[in-house]
Amino acid sequence: MSRTVGVTDLLSELPGVAVVGFALVTQLGDFWFAASACLLAYWVGTQTPWLGRGLTRDRAARLLGLLSCAVALAVGLKAVFVLPRPPGAGTASNAHLVPAVLRGVYESMATGDGYGFPSGHATTAVLVWGGFAATLRAGTRRARYAVAGVAVVLVSLSRLVIGVHYLVDVLAGVAIAGTALWVVLTYLHRPDRVFAFAVALALVGVAAGGLTRDMAAGLGLAAGGALAWPFLSSVPEPTRRGAVVTVVLGALSIAVLAVGIAAAESVPPLVALLAGTGMALSLALPLVGERVAKKT
């Protein structure tokens, strides 16, 4: 089956301002955005303004498990299919419309590298936005899933507009992630089972494509959660002050680990170890945050 359906070429002809706008929209499915949302949900939980109802530690930890599933699925399947992106995916169009000081950031948002099938952004959007819709208790269930659906459509469309995927790439990402989300919400439920599921997905990816840097990161995230969560049943629900302390400590810790991962990118086992440490530390940090908050 040909992937070169002309939708990508057609959408890339939209006005330059629209293309730049969709480069911003695509961040809703990027790993940094999804990881930030899931970490904040876990660290702040029930103290989250307007949305905190339902965000218990256990339910928020499941979101981090879904994030791990998204990474394992996207990276692993790319290694299985090894299908290229559209021509020009590595070049940001309409960069001249962006101020020079922001051009480097724009170019990183509006380009793609590596293999193209399935779309990692579409996969992440379904699992994370769908996971939030299932977890939150704000508004009605129908409204939450409607918001998640709109986010998935916008992210998927943005990947076509900026020219980094073919239509079949995003459709496959949505379908595969939708199936994985259904499995989690129907059968797995608990964070430890979701992390274990992510480990299994990551191991399949390793078997298919070897322990690359990205695959190592995915395996590390899943394994770190699977190993750490069974020992964290005593993590308390957040207080307002404890949540603030946890977020500050978490931001500092993640920044340090991110630098370490970037420095170790040529050594996949070390990347896996650092990513696993980051996930385990993220899950355990509320124990420290709440204790520090009580003493201050």
Side-chain angles (χ1 to χ4, degrees):
M1 181 183 68
S2 174
R3 295 164 63 229
T4 56
V5 180
V7 176
T8 299
D9 292 335
L10 178 64
L11 292 175
S12 66
E13 296 301 319
L14 289 172
V17 173
V19 176
V20 172
F22 272 106
L24 296 175
V25 170
T26 205
Q27 299 309 297
L28 296 175
D30 201 277
F31 176 78
W32 76 266
F33 182 90
S36 299
C38 293
L39 285 169
L40 285 173
Y42 179 72
W43 289 337
V44 181
T46 52
Q47 295 297 321
T48 306
W50 305 295
L51 298 175
R53 187 176 166 211
L55 273 178
T56 61
R57 294 283 194 208
D58 188 75
R59 294 170 67 84
R62 187 178 67 181
L63 292 173
L64 288 167
L66 285 169
L67 176 68
S68 300
C69 289
V71 176
L73 271 176
V75 177
L77 289 174
K78 287 176 190 290
V80 169
F81 291 102
V82 293
L83 294 174
R85 293 179 184 270
T91 303
S93 61
N94 302 290
H96 64 282
L97 298 176
V98 179
V101 68
L102 298 176
R103 200 160 295 162
V105 175
Y106 171 73
E107 289 174 351
S108 69
M109 294 192 304
T111 56
D113 56 11
Y115 299 120
F117 181 92
S119 166
H121 280 66
T123 302
T124 301
V126 170
L127 282 164
V128 173
W129 283 87
F132 269 102
T135 301
L136 296 175
R137 290 295 178 264
T140 64
R141 183 173 182 270
R142 180 177 295 180
R144 295 195 304 272
Y145 276 104
V147 171
V150 169
V152 170
V153 169
L154 288 175
V155 169
S156 299
L157 181 60
S158 73
R159 305 309 285 169
L160 304 178
V161 171
I162 64 177
V164 297
H165 280 295
Y166 296 112
L167 177 61
V168 68
D169 300 343
V170 297
L171 292 179
V174 169
I176 292 166
T179 302
L181 181 63
W182 176 80
V183 169
V184 168
L185 297 181
T186 305
Y187 297 108
L188 302 181
H189 305 293
R190 298 194 330 236
D192 56 335
R193 294 176 178 174
V194 181
F195 280 118
F197 182 46
V199 170
L201 294 174
L203 288 174
V204 171
V206 171
L211 192 65
T212 63
R213 178 201 62 185
D214 291 343
M215 199 68 254
L219 178 59
L221 289 173
L227 291 172
W229 185 251
F231 299 97
L232 296 174
S233 58
S234 61
V235 176
E237 294 300 325
T239 61
R240 182 168 299 180
R241 179 178 291 183
V244 172
V245 174
T246 300
V247 169
V248 172
L249 293 175
L252 293 173
S253 302
I254 296 300
V256 171
L257 285 166
V259 171
I261 290 173
E265 64 176 352
S266 61
V267 188
L270 184 54
V271 170
L273 177 61
L274 290 171
T277 300
M279 178 61 80
L281 182 62
S282 297
L283 291 169
L285 264 179
L287 291 170
V288 180
E290 293 297 327
R291 182 171 297 181
V292 171
K294 286 181 179 179
K295 292 182 178 180
T296 58

